[in-house]
Amino acid sequence: QVQLVESGGGLVQAGGSLRLSCVASERTFSSSFMGWFRQAPGKEREFVAAISWIAAGTFYADSVKGRFTISRDNAKNTVYLQMDSLTPEDTAVYYCARRADTGYKITSQQDYIYWGQGTQVTVSS
C-alpha cells in the first residue's frame, strides 16, 4: 500500500504562486509515474499534470500549460507542483496520485490507483 501526503495548499491572491508537495511512502518511488489532479466545487476531478519515472517526460493540461511546473526529487520521494500566475479558476482541491505500473494513460484517473487526501488551493480575485 502506498501512502501519498500532499501539502502546500492555501489562500493566495490572483497572480500569486504556490508550490504543492506530495511525499510518497514507497521504496520504488523512482519508478513510479506520478500525477496531479484537481477538483473544483461542483465540477468533476480533472487532470492537471504528470511526470514520468526519471522526469524525462512531463505532461500538462492545456489550462495550466506555461503556468504550472511539475517536478520530482526521487531522493526525497517527493513530487512537486509549482503553480504560478494563479487565477480564481485554479481554486480546487488538488490531489497527488500514482499511476498503476500496468497503466499507460496519462490523463485518465482510472489508471491511477493511489491517491492522497488532497490539499485545498483557494485563489482570491
Side-chain angles (χ1 to χ4, degrees):
Q1 185 74 13
V2 175
Q3 291 186 332
L4 303 174
V5 180
E6 303 102 332
S7 62
L11 174 64
V12 64
Q13 289 188 333
S17 299
L18 282 174
R19 189 176 82 154
L20 306 183
S21 299
C22 171
V23 180
S25 64
E26 180 180 13
R27 296 176 61 184
T28 57
F29 176 77
S30 61
S31 64
S32 62
F33 191 99
M34 302 296 296
W36 286 97
F37 292 77
R38 68 185 181 185
Q39 186 167 21
K43 296 185 177 181
E44 294 187 353
R45 190 160 56 185
E46 63 177 3
F47 170 78
V48 175
I51 188 165
S52 63
W53 307 269
I54 55 173
T58 56
F59 311 88
Y60 298 94
D62 288 342
S63 59
V64 306
K65 202 172 294 183
R67 300 187 299 121
F68 289 12
T69 303
I70 189 170
S71 62
R72 66 191 297 160
D73 185 339
N74 289 336
K76 296 181 179 180
N77 275 24
T78 302
V79 61
Y80 303 98
L81 185 67
Q82 176 67 42
M83 306 185 295
D84 299 319
S85 303
L86 286 162
T87 73
E89 287 68 39
D90 295 316
T91 294
V93 177
Y94 284 72
Y95 298 90
C96 170
R98 183 204 189 279
R99 195 176 71 178
D101 292 336
T102 55
Y104 61 93
K105 295 179 181 178
I106 296 170
T107 65
S108 172
Q109 299 180 48
Q110 286 68 31
D111 274 24
Y112 291 79
I113 59 173
Y114 297 110
W115 293 81
Q117 81 288 352
T119 185
Q120 176 71 47
V121 171
T122 303
V123 184
S124 62
S125 58

